[in-house]
Amino acid sequence: MKERIDDYNTRREHLKSLSDAELKARFLELADKLVDPLLDLAYKNTSKSIERSILLRMGFNSLEAKGIVDILDDRDLLRKGAGHCTYVISKDKNISIREAGLLISNGDEIDYLMEYFKIYE
């Protein structure tokens, strides 16, 4: 069996002089650096299931939500948020959220959303 080389004392040399409070601050700083990329990824990305869930909470049934999400995903609008897209149509056209979602699921207003979000194919 190979003997383990213990280098603990060598690796802790730069931390040796730190107080408990300084060690805690150092730990929290490193933890923040570790989590930052995950937060950035979550902030900038979504998924079909998350967007369907949002639409369900907005009052759409699962088939309607799936239709809206699929159309938005096909046109690269899902990253703008299915709920956000529905809200934009609702407010700009002065119609209910439900009517706006149904328009999207029928393929209507997609060109409007593309123009609104400045997405050019």
Side-chain angles (χ1 to χ4, degrees):
M1 184 189 231
K2 189 175 181 181
E3 188 176 320
R4 179 175 173 230
I5 300 172
D6 192 1
D7 63 345
Y8 171 75
N9 287 324
T10 312
R11 289 186 297 122
R12 74 179 280 266
E13 205 53 47
H14 67 286
L15 302 172
K16 196 169 160 179
S17 62
L18 299 179
S19 69
D20 282 346
E22 291 169 327
L23 280 172
K24 183 178 180 180
R26 174 86 172 131
F27 170 80
L28 293 175
E29 175 190 340
L30 292 173
D32 282 344
K33 284 183 181 179
L34 182 70
V35 173
D36 282 345
L38 298 173
L39 293 175
D40 187 50
L41 185 66
Y43 181 76
K44 293 180 180 176
N45 295 282
T46 189
S47 70
K48 285 182 161 188
S49 62
I50 289 170
E51 296 304 321
R52 282 193 303 268
S53 177
I54 290 166
L55 290 171
L56 290 172
R57 283 158 182 74
M58 292 174 76
F60 296 97
N61 67 41
S62 60
L63 293 176
E64 293 165 339
K66 182 183 181 326
I68 295 167
V69 166
D70 286 345
I71 285 181
L72 293 174
D73 188 44
D74 288 344
R75 297 300 294 270
D76 199 28
L77 285 162
L78 195 61
R79 61 193 165 111
K80 300 299 181 182
H84 185 200
C85 290
T86 305
Y87 179 77
V88 164
I89 297 293
S90 172
K91 288 301 169 196
D92 290 356
K93 303 295 180 185
N94 200 27
I95 57 177
S96 72
I97 293 285
R98 179 157 185 73
E99 290 172 309
L102 294 176
L103 284 175
I104 294 171
S105 70
N106 291 331
D108 301 331
E109 304 300 336
I110 297 300
D111 291 335
Y112 176 79
L113 288 170
M114 300 287 282
E115 180 69 28
Y116 180 88
F117 290 114
K118 295 176 179 36
I119 297 174
Y120 306 105
E121 293 181 276

